[in-house]
Amino acid sequence: VSALPTMTVLSRVRTPGAFCHNTGVTADDRVAVTTDESGGGHLAIWDIADKRNPVKLAEYNANPAAIIHNAFVLGNFVHCAYYTEGYR
């Protein structure tokens, strides 16, 4: 059994709903999207070009009562799944 590699935390951010469930990144590793899987959970978009200083660029909330599940980035689009709002 080999030892696991040591990981280094580069930064920490508080997501809008403080309940991050999922993160997706762009192919160039410069933008990340996070989802807060809770009632009124947000999708947040982050500039992560400087890994030590992520900057929130935008938020999206389909419905204040909705729960977002996962999001992933494909090309220039973010694909989101919600429990009650379907695919966005």
Side-chain angles (χ1 to χ4, degrees):
V1 175
S2 61
L4 295 175
T6 301
M7 295 173 55
T8 301
V9 175
L10 298 177
S11 61
R12 294 177 193 269
V13 296
R14 181 180 172 99
T15 59
F19 194 77
C20 187
H21 169 73
N22 163 255
T23 302
V25 296
T26 57
D28 65 3
D29 200 33
R30 296 180 62 85
V31 176
V33 296
T34 59
T35 60
D36 289 316
E37 191 179 40
S38 60
H42 289 75
L43 168 86
I45 302 170
W46 305 86
D47 177 340
I48 60 166
D50 177 356
K51 305 297 188 261
R52 295 190 183 277
N53 187 33
V55 176
K56 185 171 61 172
L57 300 174
E59 293 180 47
Y60 174 75
N61 187 335
N63 174 341
I67 299 174
I68 193 169
H69 181 53
N70 286 341
F72 68 94
V73 181
L74 185 59
N76 292 329
F77 295 94
V78 176
H79 301 263
C80 302
Y82 283 81
Y83 288 101
T84 57
E85 302 302 306
Y87 165 80
R88 301 282 174 122

